[in-house]
Amino acid sequence: MAEVIVVTSGKGGVGKTTSSAALGTGLALKGYKTVVVDFDVGLRNLDLIMGCERRVVYDLVNVVKEEASLNQALIKDKRLENLFVLPASQTRDKDALDKDGVARVIEELKTANFDYIICDSPAGIEKGALMALYFADRAIVVTNPEVSSVRDSDRILGILASKSKRAEEKLDPIREHLLVTRYAPNRVERGDMLALSDIEELLAIPLLGVIPESPAVLRASNSGVPVTFDQESDAGQAYLDAVDRFLGHKIPLRFVNTKKRTLLQRLFKSKDKEGVGA
Amino acid sequence: MSWIDLFRKSKRNTAATAKERLQIIISHERTRQSQPDLISAMQTEILNIIAKYLDIPHEKINEQVKVDVERRGEHSVLELNITLPESIS
């Protein structure tokens, strides 16, 4: 049975699209047929992060408005057989999405035998974001260790619990997962950044994973290759761990403590790897 | 941490400040979310009562009667500001 997952945050720029692409890639790597749907109508970017921007012909709005078929709009990943992207429209605005239309697209994706339908939400709490979360079975709340992001995540949790289909129809609530991104253990140790335990305590939802602040993330978006493919990198490994936990496996957290360094290393710090330890 | 940090006095722990501020604002916003229409419902009723006893034209009621809720530290203050018609005062 297909599951609908919304990747959301309220605040912009915390890593929703990066995480949607990375988790979608991870699920596909594990053998699940996965589609990542961009709900950011007017500001599409998932296509760039996934590296398929030149293959976009039709988009989500075309399918919602029945101007194109689902198969015409779905873009098959060149690296993985079972990974697909459904891009957002770049020219329309968010009002182009309506509940009935989106419901039909999601039903069609379920009929097409997808295991996971990942909805990459736009920032904010307006129509596009509400459409992205409305049909969700599970939610991944992406949070940075920073005050405005934590507050907005809490706001989104309230909306998940009141404005989703599951809430309106009084079904089992959406399963919520916390994904902390851009975490810098060395700054936490100095008292300059909220610790993981603080964020967990404030938001009180189960932790799915911690993605360290990492140069690999920018390198990945530069080249249009989701960071999960870079399995040498800390961020790539952290996303794969998160995918394993999402699938129900118990995996210990990595990259949440600073590496113990020798006196010489402390005196001549290496800028590149600072603070990100296994 | 570079060598100069070893000699620097430890700075204020701003992460702890962030956590405290978030605890307060999040709990405040959660209670407000669970009763979003309380204030506006109360406001409507208060306006109705005032209109019952004072002869204020309907279109002027929002000008002459102001209902505000303000946060002061740990408390919220409901402020009513009624401009009475001259005939009464």
Side-chain angles (χ1 to χ4, degrees):
Chain A
M1 182 60 193
E3 272 193 309
V4 180
I5 306 155
V6 62
V7 178
T8 184
S9 70
K11 190 177 181 300
V14 297
K16 282 182 296 298
T17 301
T18 300
S19 297
S20 299
L23 296 170
T25 302
L27 286 166
L29 279 169
K30 300 276 173 193
Y32 296 97
K33 190 176 177 190
T34 305
V35 59
V36 192
V37 186
D38 191 348
F39 274 81
D40 204 346
V41 176
L43 290 169
R44 86 165 160 235
N45 274 317
L46 180 69
D47 55 337
L48 266 182
I49 302 301
M50 297 285 293
C52 61
E53 70 276 10
R54 294 176 61 180
R55 295 163 62 208
V56 176
V57 184
Y58 295 107
D59 56 58
L60 175 63
V61 173
N62 292 136
V63 184
V64 165
K65 301 262 177 208
E66 296 181 88
E67 297 157 355
S69 73
L70 182 63
N71 273 332
Q72 284 177 303
L74 278 177
I75 303 172
K76 187 176 183 169
D77 189 84
K78 289 217 160 137
R79 297 150 295 212
L80 290 174
E81 268 289 292
N82 47 358
L83 179 60
F84 293 79
V85 173
L86 183 51
S89 166
Q90 186 69 314
T91 48
R92 318 257 188 127
D93 62 48
K94 291 181 171 57
D95 296 326
L97 296 177
D98 65 277
K99 231 176 239 180
D100 294 342
V102 174
R104 218 190 49 248
V105 174
I106 286 181
E107 269 323 300
E108 252 186 273
L109 288 168
K110 286 182 175 173
T111 317
N113 279 325
F114 279 99
D115 296 304
Y116 292 106
I117 300 161
I118 299 181
C119 304
D120 179 18
S121 171
I125 51 172
E126 277 146 47
K127 185 124 188 221
L130 294 179
M131 285 296 119
L133 67 79
Y134 189 74
F135 298 96
D137 302 307
R138 296 167 82 171
I140 295 173
V141 179
V142 182
T143 308
N144 286 172
E146 181 269 326
V147 285
S148 50
S149 175
V150 174
R151 180 199 211 172
D152 290 359
S153 292
D154 190 69
R155 184 94 171 81
I156 276 292
L157 287 171
I159 291 171
L160 287 169
S162 62
K163 300 208 169 143
S164 61
K165 184 167 190 277
R166 282 178 172 273
E168 283 181 0
E169 294 178 5
K170 307 227 184 305
L171 305 169
D172 290 340
I174 293 178
R175 276 177 71 191
E176 300 151 339
H177 306 271
L178 173 64
L179 184 68
V180 176
T181 56
R182 307 202 69 166
Y183 194 67
N186 58 325
R187 296 172 71 184
V188 173
E189 200 169 82
R190 288 201 300 256
D192 291 345
M193 183 181 269
L194 282 167
L196 188 59
S197 53
D198 297 338
I199 304 171
E200 285 186 85
E201 191 189 323
L202 287 160
L203 295 177
I205 58 170
L207 182 68
L208 182 69
V210 179
I211 313 301
E213 172 82 67
S214 166
V217 173
L218 186 57
R219 282 202 299 267
S221 77
N222 285 342
S223 38
V225 179
V227 72
T228 324
F229 284 116
D230 183 1
Q231 284 164 24
E232 303 275 285
S233 72
D234 48 3
Q237 292 172 29
Y239 272 116
L240 269 184
D241 285 359
V243 168
D244 275 327
R245 287 187 207 104
F246 189 83
L247 296 169
H249 304 292
K250 293 228 180 306
I251 307 277
L253 283 176
R254 292 195 278 174
F255 318 111
V256 291
N257 295 309
T258 50
K259 214 183 262 172
K260 293 283 167 268
R261 285 175 296 174
T262 64
L263 183 64
L264 265 181
Q265 281 173 319
R266 283 157 74 107
L267 291 174
F268 304 97
K269 66 170 179 184
S270 110
K271 274 191 186 134
D272 193 42
K273 292 190 175 148
E274 198 197 23
V276 181
Chain B
M1 201 208 282
S2 72
W3 64 272
I4 198 122
D5 290 333
L6 296 173
F7 302 102
R8 204 183 277 167
K9 267 192 184 167
S10 64
K11 274 179 290 183
R12 214 159 53 96
N13 186 328
T14 56
T17 315
K19 187 187 178 186
E20 277 170 38
R21 292 174 61 215
L22 279 168
Q23 276 170 330
I24 295 166
I25 192 68
I26 284 179
S27 76
H28 173 72
E29 284 173 347
R30 275 183 196 162
T31 46
R32 224 180 30 189
Q33 249 171 53
S34 59
Q35 39 179 304
D37 295 329
L38 194 80
I39 297 297
S40 64
M42 194 158 62
Q43 185 165 344
T44 317
E45 278 198 45
I46 289 171
L47 290 181
N48 286 340
I49 291 174
I50 292 165
K52 189 173 155 191
Y53 290 98
L54 298 178
D55 188 23
I56 299 175
H58 191 71
E59 62 276 10
K60 283 204 167 172
I61 196 144
N62 281 322
E63 260 172 60
Q64 302 199 333
V65 183
K66 292 234 178 333
V67 186
D68 281 311
V69 183
E70 204 185 307
R71 284 200 70 216
R72 285 183 197 160
E74 301 249 308
H75 312 277
S76 294
V77 176
L78 178 71
E79 203 174 74
L80 258 183
N81 200 335
I82 309 173
T83 313
L84 296 176
E86 272 181 44
S87 55
I88 286 184
S89 58

